[in-house]
């Protein structure tokens, strides 16, 4: 199992006024749980060298599964290329929530391709699924757009997802995809929620394991709002009412 960052259940996140948050969302968020810089590990203001994981843990309210995961996005890209390389990879972005993570992860894989002796051809595909209404997963997962899955026959497919909660969406997509006989399928999810509603499904690669809260930002939405927010934040109960459909 690849390493991932674990964000504790009692983590309160970080105060909003420490970060740049759009004015129109200031009243809607409880806290920032994963700053954009931590997702990308590219933020020069987040110099974590010399900070032990314990003190970093105190400051950021996260616990580390291993010390090595500080550069986890690059690590993920490296693990993916190691496991799937040698054959053309088709990266399948699950829209809309996966698009930010997809773009950043593709950049890391591209950089690896540019800077190493071995490289792997990478093409991209998109699929659109819908399973959510308000803050609840519905039992009905619908493919509502995107490319034909049949084009993935015989390919090494990397599914890129924003968040796995119950696991139903991914289980449904995997079933549909396997009918098209790809050569290999791996799933990378930016987030996995620790929840009693989980079916037990775990992706092959995970960025962060998060508490059972409704999260928005970095392309994750609540009824289409909050995709225009850089950091991953905890949505307030009041906002769930405000943006309810
Ligand atoms: P699952 O089928 O319950 O695993 O849910 C997966 C999908 O529900 C994800 O791809 C998201 O689109 C959506 N989802 C689940 N939890 C959240 C959340 O906390 N914020 C935003 N979207 C979520
Ligand atoms: Mg999704």
């Amino acid at each position: 199992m690849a390493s991932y960052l674990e964000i504790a259940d009692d983590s309160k996140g970080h105060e909003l006024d420490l970060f740049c948050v759009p004015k129109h969302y200031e009243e809607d968020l409880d806290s920032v749980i994963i700053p954009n810089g931590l997702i990308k590990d590219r933020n020069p203001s987040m110099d974590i060298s010399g900070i032990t994981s314990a003190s970093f843990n105190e400051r950021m309210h996260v616990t580390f599964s291993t010390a090595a995961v500080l550069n986890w996005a690059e690590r993920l890209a490296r693990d993916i290329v190691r496991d799937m390389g040698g054959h053309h990879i088709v990266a399948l972005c699950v829209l809309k929530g996966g698009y930010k993570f997809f773009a950043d992860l593709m950049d890391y894989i591209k950089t690896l391709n540019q800077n190493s002796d071995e490289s792997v051809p990478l093409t991209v595909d998109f699929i659109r699924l819908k399973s959510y209404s308000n803050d609840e997963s519905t039992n009905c997962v619908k493919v509502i757009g995107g490319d034909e899955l049949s084009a993935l026959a015989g390919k090494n497919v990397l599914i890129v997802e924003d968040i796995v909660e119950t696991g139903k969406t991914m289980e449904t997509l995997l079933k549909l995809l396997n009918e098209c006989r790809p050569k290999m399928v791996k799933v990378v999810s930016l987030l996995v929620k620790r929840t009693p509603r989980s079916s037990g499904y775990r992706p092959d690669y995970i960025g962060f394991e998060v508490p059972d809260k409704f999260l928005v930002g970095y392309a994750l939405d609540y009824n289409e709002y909050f995709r225009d927010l850089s950091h991953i934040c905890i949505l307030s109960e009041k906002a769930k009412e405000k943006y309810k459909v």
Side-chain angles (χ1 to χ4, degrees):
M1 166 64 71
S3 28
Y4 53 87
L5 278 171
E6 196 177 302
I7 300 183
D9 282 336
D10 59 359
S11 167
K12 302 251 180 308
H14 318 288
E15 282 175 35
L16 288 176
D17 49 12
L18 293 171
F19 295 88
C20 294
V21 169
K23 265 241 156 324
H24 55 273
Y25 291 145
E26 270 176 0
E27 305 291 308
D28 304 326
L29 306 165
D30 282 343
S31 63
V32 173
I33 191 152
I34 311 177
N36 187 275
L38 185 60
I39 302 169
K40 295 189 179 179
D41 186 29
R42 283 268 184 225
N43 188 342
S45 66
M46 277 193 60
D47 180 9
I48 52 174
S49 55
I51 300 174
T52 64
S53 55
S55 63
F56 185 71
N57 184 14
E58 246 166 58
R59 289 169 56 166
M60 302 300 294
H61 310 285
V62 297
T63 55
F64 297 114
S65 300
T66 74
V69 293
L70 292 176
N71 56 348
W72 71 266
E74 277 176 296
R75 260 288 298 275
L76 275 182
R78 206 180 67 193
D79 291 350
I80 288 166
V81 171
R82 183 198 59 210
D83 298 350
M84 302 185 74
H87 191 75
H88 168 181
I89 299 175
V90 183
L92 181 66
C93 173
V94 183
L95 294 171
K96 298 177 187 173
Y99 92 89
K100 283 293 294 172
F101 177 48
F102 182 80
D104 285 338
L105 191 69
M106 290 308 105
D107 279 350
Y108 282 110
I109 296 180
K110 255 176 15 199
T111 305
L112 277 178
N113 270 339
Q114 280 160 198
N115 297 312
S116 93
D117 292 337
E118 289 176 34
S119 68
V120 54
L122 180 70
T123 55
V124 296
D125 248 320
F126 298 88
I127 187 169
R128 188 150 175 227
L129 302 177
K130 199 157 173 63
S131 62
Y132 249 66
S133 178
N134 295 322
D135 64 342
E136 283 197 27
S137 186
T138 64
N139 279 326
C140 168
V141 179
K142 278 197 229 144
V143 178
I144 56 168
D147 295 340
E148 280 294 325
L149 289 180
S150 57
L152 301 173
K155 305 270 172 63
N156 273 4
V157 182
L158 174 69
I159 301 177
V160 184
E161 172 66 304
D162 54 354
I163 182 165
V164 168
E165 185 180 7
T166 63
K168 277 184 249 161
T169 303
M170 205 36 66
E171 284 173 335
T172 307
L173 177 58
L174 285 171
K175 219 162 103 209
L176 287 173
L177 193 56
N178 282 325
E179 286 168 10
C180 304
R181 304 201 163 274
K183 183 164 182 261
M184 177 197 279
V185 181
K186 297 271 187 193
V187 178
V188 54
S189 185
L190 173 64
L191 309 173
V192 169
K193 222 181 254 189
R194 270 189 309 276
T195 167
R197 297 181 299 287
S198 165
S199 67
Y201 168 78
R202 300 284 284 186
D204 300 288
Y205 310 97
I206 299 169
F208 299 83
E209 196 186 75
V210 293
D212 195 0
K213 306 250 166 68
F214 200 84
L215 305 180
V216 292
Y218 194 66
L220 280 88
D221 74 309
Y222 178 77
N223 294 331
E224 296 301 327
Y225 289 92
F226 303 99
R227 297 198 202 272
D228 57 334
L229 170 67
S230 299
H231 311 291
I232 298 181
C233 298
I234 301 176
L235 189 69
S236 72
E237 288 304 317
K238 239 169 84 189
K240 287 185 188 172
E241 277 307 308
K242 178 172 161 190
Y243 296 96
K244 205 171 188 133
V245 290

